[in-house]
Amino acid sequence: MTENEPGQDPVGEDPRVASLKERIEQVERTERIRTGQRDEQADANTRLGNRVLAELIGGIAGGALVGWVLDHFLGTQPWLLLVFLFLGIIVAFRNIYRISMQRPKE
């Protein structure tokens, strides 16, 4: 009759329950890896980093290319190249600043 009566809860956590929780977590991690599920927050941060890098490279390369082409056709070497290179850098940093000021989506 003492088995059915309410008693005090054990002071510490049962080691069998802790072991079961660890095994369940391990199986869930293995299943996520097997099915290809990823951490959405990490993916979002990677995409943001790639976007910033693309803005920087694109701004510099685009400005240099436009300046070089105009210099080639107008015969003003290297002045338009330098002007458009600096404009590309300014635009790239402005875009990076705008990206960094956006509020994160929750």
Side-chain angles (χ1 to χ4, degrees), residues 75-95:
T76 58
Q77 281 91 4
W79 299 110
L80 288 179
L81 171 68
L82 293 174
V83 168
F84 279 93
L85 180 66
F86 286 119
L87 284 176
I89 291 171
I90 291 168
V91 168
F93 279 113
R94 182 185 63 99
N95 288 341

Side-chain angles (χ1 to χ4, degrees), residues 1 15 20 53 64 73 85-86 103:
M1 189 161 199
L20 179 62
L53 183 63
F73 286 120
L85 180 66
F86 286 119
R103 290 183 181 254

Side-chain angles (χ1 to χ4, degrees), residues 6-28:
Q8 292 182 347
D9 290 334
V11 175
E13 187 174 326
D14 190 2
R16 295 176 297 170
V17 173
S19 173
L20 179 62
K21 286 181 183 179
E22 289 175 11
R23 291 192 328 230
I24 289 173
E25 289 174 6
Q26 182 181 10
V27 169
E28 286 175 346

